[in-house]
Amino acid sequence: MYGLSVGISRVGETLPEPVYALLSGLNAATVGIIALAAVNLAGRAVTDKLTRLLVFLGGALGMLYTALWYYPIIMIGAGLSTLIWDLRCLQTGFNHVSKLWRRWGHPRRPHKTMVEVEAWPKASAPPNTLRSSPHYSLEKPLPSIPHNPERSSLTKIDDSHLHFNPITVPLSKFAVKPNISSTNLPAQTPLPTTIIPTFPSLISWRLGTILLILFSLSFITILLLRSLLPGTIPRAFSLFSSLYLAGTIIFGGGPVVIPLLREYIVSPGWVSPRDFLLGLAIIQSFPGPNFNFAIYLGALATKGTSVPSFAGALIAFIAIFTPGLVIMLGFLGLWQILQRRTWFQAILRGVNAGAVGLVFTAVYKLWQIGRVGVGGGGGGEPLGGDPWLVFITAAAFVSGRWFRVNAPVAILMGGTGGIARWAIFVR
């Protein structure tokens, strides 16, 4: 990446038209590959209706605004949403509120006392009852039922003529002697066991906690310095702070960091839009993480300053990779404690869904700048302005989705399609 930055820095302002066509085709295929990755990640992150909603909201909210503090807010909100939902905090809170409402807002009514009802007078007894019969009198007792000894004797059963002689049957006539010879026994298969993946405890939980606390303090310190001293900070520190913050808040992979890098490296004027898009198109054809793109930008960002380009590339490398390594080591010490906690698993489920939504945001933002313009500025334009580039994007998605074409091959095919478009329609 450093060698690529040195070569790009020596390129003139205007490039041949076939080069722009090649780079536009590469970017179009890259957008298709990232869209495929977003769909695959969504298939694993969506486990219920709530996570499906969080993926949608994460992508939609990420398209509306771009800031270093905005993406962490989206992921924190997603994690809290699943935490509240999985632990049934809303249901529990609603039950408590409803109980208090019934107790204080609507006090219980006093129980009704028994109302004494006057008895019917003897002279005006209700009709169609036993009391209205002429043969019935309140002073006369009810007649008794006569006893019949013959009827009562029918209920007795004479079992004196029945005799029961129990028969003793030896168990040996029915018992089957087991054959304990080892040749007739079936082969015993071991019971299936569930293997729970665990990580080796390379560091203790105390050291992991200390690392996370120190990292949080460094993050807050850099954020405050950027806010309080915006115009007096040297270029080297500004570059380090921008990439350090970007490497901290990105959860979801390299595609998410690219819109942030464009916002905080290209907008201040450190790198031209053309050079940004040139590096973005070329880096997709090389193996390795997309974070290597920061090395390319760091070398170009220090151009024209007292900081050499090699030092800028080194600053960018340290700034973009250090946050992820420190956070990983810190949680590695706490993983044995947190991995079985229900609340921790609920938070991770929501954060994962929010991060997948941000990958869809990256697809949209790259779509908006994917077409490399011809001219001195070389700024990015939406891919939708050229139907041929739309076809290249769709072809890259379909080839990877249903025909198992590797991503580098699909991207190179996109670059070939861009040159073919120039040769057929423009030349």
Side-chain angles (χ1 to χ4, degrees):
M1 287 298 102
Y2 174 71
L4 177 63
S5 65
V6 173
I8 294 296
S9 62
R10 297 179 181 179
V11 174
E13 293 295 332
T14 304
L15 296 175
E17 292 186 3
V19 176
Y20 288 112
L22 170 65
L23 297 177
S24 298
L26 292 176
N27 285 337
T30 300
V31 173
I33 294 300
I34 297 176
L36 175 60
V39 171
N40 292 335
L41 290 173
R44 294 191 292 267
V46 173
T47 56
D48 54 2
K49 294 182 179 180
L50 177 60
T51 50
R52 183 178 289 107
L53 179 62
L54 291 177
V55 170
F56 165 73
L57 292 178
L61 294 176
M63 296 177 189
L64 300 177
Y65 189 70
T66 301
L68 281 174
W69 58 267
Y70 185 60
Y71 288 174
I73 294 299
I74 293 177
M75 291 186 292
I76 291 174
L80 292 178
S81 300
T82 51
L83 176 64
I84 294 174
W85 181 263
D86 290 352
L87 298 185
R88 299 182 179 275
C89 297
L90 290 178
Q91 294 88 333
T92 304
F94 179 77
N95 292 335
H96 287 302
V97 171
S98 61
K99 289 181 180 178
L100 292 176
W101 177 259
R102 289 195 301 267
R103 180 178 299 177
W104 303 105
H106 296 279
R108 294 182 178 180
R109 298 179 180 178
H111 294 285
K112 295 182 179 181
T113 57
M114 298 297 294
V115 180
E116 296 182 359
V117 181
E118 295 182 358
W120 289 96
K122 296 180 182 179
S124 61
N128 300 327
T129 59
L130 181 62
R131 294 184 179 186
S132 62
S133 175
H135 303 286
Y136 177 78
S137 176
L138 293 175
E139 288 81 6
K140 184 179 179 179
L142 295 174
S144 59
I145 301 174
H147 177 68
N148 190 356
E150 296 181 358
R151 180 177 299 179
S152 61
S153 63
L154 295 176
T155 58
K156 296 182 180 180
I157 300 176
D158 185 11
D159 56 353
S160 59
H161 63 281
L162 299 177
H163 301 281
F164 298 95
N165 295 324
I167 302 175
T168 305
V169 180
L171 294 177
S172 59
K173 292 186 178 181
F174 300 97
V176 180
K177 296 181 180 180
N179 188 358
I180 59 174
S181 61
S182 60
T183 57
N184 296 330
L185 288 177
Q188 296 182 357
T189 57
L191 295 176
T193 57
T194 303
I195 301 176
I196 301 176
T198 57
F199 293 95
S201 299
L202 300 179
I203 58 177
S204 62
W205 66 270
R206 294 183 179 85
L207 181 58
T209 305
I210 293 174
L211 287 176
L212 292 177
I213 292 175
L214 293 177
F215 175 77
S216 301
L217 293 176
S218 66
F219 179 83
I220 296 173
T221 302
I222 292 176
L223 197 61
L224 290 177
L225 289 177
R226 282 176 56 90
S227 302
L228 298 177
L229 305 172
T232 60
I233 299 177
R235 175 72 61 84
F237 182 78
S238 298
L239 175 65
F240 177 84
S241 61
S242 297
L243 296 180
Y244 190 84
L245 298 178
T248 301
I249 65 177
I250 292 306
F251 190 96
V256 182
V257 78
I258 291 175
L260 281 179
L261 293 179
R262 177 179 171 83
E263 182 72 19
Y264 291 96
I265 301 296
V266 177
S267 296
W270 302 344
V271 179
S272 65
R274 188 207 66 172
D275 293 343
F276 180 87
L277 294 175
L278 287 176
L280 177 63
I282 296 174
I283 196 177
Q284 304 301 326
S285 304
F286 289 91
N290 288 330
F291 278 22
N292 290 333
F293 187 46
I295 302 173
Y296 166 84
L297 296 177
L300 291 179
T302 55
K303 181 182 177 181
T305 63
S306 59
V307 180
S309 60
F310 178 80
L314 183 61
I315 291 173
F317 174 80
I318 295 174
I320 199 70
F321 282 103
T322 298
L325 293 175
V326 175
I327 293 175
M328 183 191 67
L329 290 176
F331 275 102
L332 191 62
L334 299 175
W335 181 254
Q336 299 295 337
I337 301 175
L338 298 178
Q339 63 177 341
R340 296 185 182 276
R341 298 293 188 271
T342 304
W343 60 268
F344 184 72
Q345 295 177 1
I347 292 175
L348 284 184
R349 194 166 70 94
V351 170
N352 191 25
V356 172
L358 294 180
V359 178
F360 285 98
T361 298
V363 173
Y364 167 75
K365 291 185 178 292
L366 292 177
W367 174 273
Q368 293 298 106
I369 63 172
R371 183 183 179 187
V372 182
V374 179
E381 299 175 0
L383 294 173
D386 190 342
W388 188 270
L389 297 179
V390 176
F391 166 75
I392 292 176
T393 303
F397 180 89
V398 171
S399 62
R401 176 73 173 178
W402 288 288
F403 297 97
R404 306 298 181 184
V405 178
N406 294 331
V409 176
I411 293 173
L412 291 177
M413 291 172 59
T416 305
I419 296 177
R421 184 254 182 199
W422 170 82
I424 296 172
F425 299 100
V426 180
R427 183 179 177 181

